[in-house]
Amino acid sequence: MEKKTHSVWTESLTVFREMIEVSPPVLLTIASKTVVRLPSLNDIQDAFTRCSIEYWNLEDLNADPNKVGRPGSGTWVEGLTPTAQKKSCVFIEGDARQQARMLLSKLLEKNLLS
């Protein structure tokens, strides 16, 4: 993991930014706790009206019916066993530097970064 640190001067406030390069898979979610980004009703309606889904069938793809779907599959699922998943959300208090340190500490503690 390569770390790069630099400071940026913004309206008489020094903000430190740390760039971390990691190999996938990785998921980071960073947001202000006071701002929740939910799509508006117009955004949802636009997604349905502006976007279209193109459907293809076997003839469109010139595909052999014996080589796709269940007949063409070399494997199959005999059964599924649902697992319980525990979801939680933690808000990290403090200024930006304290929040960054706490986030890094938690990620290291859970072996998500090394």
Side-chain angles (χ1 to χ4, degrees):
M1 174 171 54
E2 179 183 332
K3 292 185 180 183
K4 299 175 186 173
T5 304
H6 68 281
S7 62
V8 178
W9 186 260
T10 308
E11 295 181 20
S12 71
L13 174 67
T14 301
V15 178
F16 290 93
R17 296 182 181 172
E18 186 172 9
M19 290 188 280
I20 301 173
E21 294 180 18
V22 296
S23 299
V26 67
L27 169 67
L28 295 176
T29 302
I30 302 169
S32 170
K33 72 176 185 178
T34 59
V35 177
V36 177
R37 171 64 176 106
L38 296 174
S40 69
L41 181 57
N42 286 337
D43 291 341
I44 295 170
Q45 289 173 333
D46 286 347
F48 281 97
T49 57
R50 278 187 292 137
C51 301
S52 63
I53 299 174
E54 186 175 346
Y55 294 94
W56 296 337
N57 60 30
L58 295 178
E59 292 171 0
D60 295 332
L61 300 172
N62 292 325
D64 180 351
N66 294 317
K67 293 186 179 180
V68 296
R70 188 181 298 228
S73 177
T75 61
W76 60 90
V77 177
E78 289 185 4
L80 298 173
T81 304
T83 58
Q85 293 182 342
K86 180 182 173 187
K87 295 181 181 181
S88 65
C89 179
V90 176
F91 291 101
I92 301 173
E93 301 295 329
D95 62 26
R97 185 173 290 215
Q98 292 168 329
Q99 291 174 335
R101 284 189 183 129
M102 181 59 75
L103 175 60
L104 180 60
S105 171
K106 293 290 184 186
L107 293 172
L108 290 170
E109 180 182 303
K110 299 204 181 273
N111 293 321
L112 296 171
L113 290 176
S114 57

